[in-house]
Structures are given as C-alpha cells and as structure tokens.
Amino acid sequence: MRPFRRARDGAIVAVFEREEAEVIARLAGEAAELVESVRSGVDPASDPALLRLLPDAYPEDAEASAEFRRFTADGLAERKALNAVTVVESLSAAGRPAGSRGRVEVRLDAHDATAWMRAIGDIRLVLASRLGIVEDGDDGDVHDDETALLRAIYDWLAFVQDTLVNALWKGDR
C-alpha cells in the first residue's frame, strides 16, 4: 500500500495492492451486513461486535437503554452501513493506473474520505470484538493462524486509518 496523501487537486489518494483492496472491501461489506441486521430486528446484544458498534446508551438502566435504542438504532445502523458501502463502492470503482500490476488507486473527496475513516473504525471495532481486545494495549486472544491474521489486519487498518486522518488533517490546515 502507498499511504493516503493529499493530491494537488485536493483529492485524498492511496494505492492498494489488489489483495489489500479485496480484504478491505470484504470487511466493509461484512460490517455493512452486520449493522443492517439491526434494521431487520436483530438485537445488538446478540452479538458482541454489534454491541460494540451500537453500544448501550445507559448500560446501568436496561429500560432507558432500550428506549434510547428504539429511537436511534435504525438511523445509526443506516449511517454506518452507508459508510461501509462507500468504501466498497470506491474500491470497486477505482481504476487501475497503467503499469500498476494489480494495484488499485483510490481517489476520495472529503466526504468519502470521512466515510472511509468511520468505516475503518467500525471494521476495527468488529475485529477487536472478535479478538477480545477491550482497550488500547490489549493483545487479544491470538491463539491460531486465523486469529493471528485478524490481529495483523486490525493493526494494518490502524495504519491505513492513520494515514487517512493525516491526509485529511493536512488539507484542513
């Protein structure tokens, strides 16, 4: 991956290897499906990852939390799903520059870059939940090749998100 940077025309640009783009698109699609499940009646408490994405507003008061969720969960789930869909669509629409040998160049405006930033954060929350990472500094439950790969992706997405934030920030100064 070539990190996100601000182009002269103001676009936020990164170049991913084809496999990297496929991983991000797959995870974003899965995150969209996960949050969309709330809109079809799935209780966020049924999945720890879903509960990380849509946490209880009042963890000490189940009744108040349920009431708050009744009014906010659909809208929040919809926004999170739209952010993830923006990632998938930008990756599928990204052209492959001449001589790129399977690389995918992503060019984002500020709106889409913000959607990417939020979606990557959501994907990392899902991965953290699956790995048992509760707070910064936790190693998580890495006990086999599959969980080691998830942890590597979790860490790599932190780098991707960091370069995206820096590219956006530089444009705001």
Side-chain angles (χ1 to χ4, degrees), residues 15-64:
V15 178
F16 295 95
E17 297 298 325
R18 182 182 45 80
E19 294 83 6
E20 293 170 332
E22 289 170 356
V23 166
I24 293 173
R26 181 179 52 80
L27 291 172
E30 290 172 4
E33 287 177 18
L34 184 62
V35 294
E36 280 291 329
S37 70
V38 170
R39 299 180 74 206
S40 61
V42 172
D43 179 9
S46 68
D47 183 337
L50 196 50
L51 196 53
R52 290 282 292 270
L53 292 172
L54 304 167
D56 282 333
Y58 306 102
E60 304 301 320
D61 185 343
E63 188 176 318

Side-chain angles (χ1 to χ4, degrees), residues 125-138:
L125 282 173
V126 170
L127 292 174
S129 176
R130 303 290 188 237
L131 289 167
I133 297 170
V134 177
E135 59 187 46
D136 284 342
D138 285 354

Side-chain angles (χ1 to χ4, degrees), residues 5-17:
R5 63 178 173 74
R6 176 79 60 167
R8 286 191 175 127
D9 66 359
I12 308 294
V13 181
V15 178
F16 295 95
E17 297 298 325

